[in-house]
Amino acid sequence: MGDKSKNRTFFLFTVPGFLLYSFFFIVPVLMGIYYSVTDWDGISKTYDFIGLGNYVKIFHTSQFLDSLFFTLKYTALLIVFTIVLGIVIAMLLNRKIKGRGFFRTIYFVPAVLSSLTVGLIFNKICYYMIPIIGNALHIRALSQNPLADKNLAMWTILFVNLWQGLCIPTLLFLAGLQSVPTDLYDGAALDGASSWDIFRYITLPFILPVVSVVFVLTLKSGLMVFDYIKAMTDGGPGSATRSVAMLIYKHGFTQNKYAFSIAEAIVMGIIVAAISAGQIYFTDKKKAV
């Protein structure tokens, strides 16, 4: 078989994947951009072009700005806790302890559960069980449903998100830790290096690419958080836990502001892409140094 025939065969193998990618990603994105410059309500057969009116309106409404502030705050906390706790738990699971395989298996069970299911379960736990436990232990903060408290609702959702979402990042960190040559640890121990120095100068440089991957994945998860909020608070109490994804959902599917919700989604997509690109550039620069 000649080179031209091989190239033709390889090209034909890529066609189905390209068509599926175009149909399920490229075409919807282009249609979304098109509808975002209209006033379409998602139902009517007719609509008018309004240019960048939806995009201008986004940044002149307090709803979007408040939701964006909550989402960025939630995402920042989620990233910090995910990376720190993920590394700590991975280092514990990487140790040679009795029953290590059992603990690893139990720890990764939440990863197979649906986010919506987990949210609904914890919604019932917060409604029925937490107040009973709080009253029994005389803990005033837990004497009522924490999801009904504006100061505790976000932290409760964050805890549930971490309970389930830490599994995959920990697995990635665990794989990164196992790639570190043990000779480096032995040499550092002989030189009298402290645990912090070993982590800082040996472990961290090796797992830095994993940190970058976890950062991007957690960033996307935090900025697009929806399932937990929908199942646990529906954006309440009031609008204390209303994320941008929840706002987009309500504008598009409950208020028939379809074109406006698409514009909000595009703005969020640009924000996610910009932050991710900046983080990847910073990480690559650190690796080069």
Side-chain angles (χ1 to χ4, degrees), residues 32 36-37 54-55 58 64 258-268:
S36 71
V37 295
N54 286 325
Y55 294 95
I58 286 174
F64 182 83
Y258 193 78
F260 184 67
S261 67
I262 292 177
E264 291 176 321
I266 291 175
V267 170
M268 277 305 298

Side-chain angles (χ1 to χ4, degrees), residues 79-133:
I79 291 172
V80 172
F81 281 113
T82 297
I83 292 177
V84 173
L85 293 177
I87 292 175
V88 171
I89 296 173
M91 293 179 69
L92 293 175
L93 293 175
N94 195 43
R95 291 184 175 182
K96 295 180 180 180
I97 57 176
K98 188 176 181 180
R100 182 175 62 174
F102 171 77
F103 288 115
R104 287 182 177 181
T105 303
I106 294 298
Y107 177 74
F108 292 116
V109 167
V112 303
L113 302 176
S114 165
S115 300
L116 189 61
T117 301
V118 170
L120 291 172
I121 292 173
F122 274 92
N123 178 281
K124 298 303 180 183
I125 291 175
C126 292
Y127 186 81
Y128 293 106
M129 294 182 61
I130 297 298
I132 296 175
I133 296 174

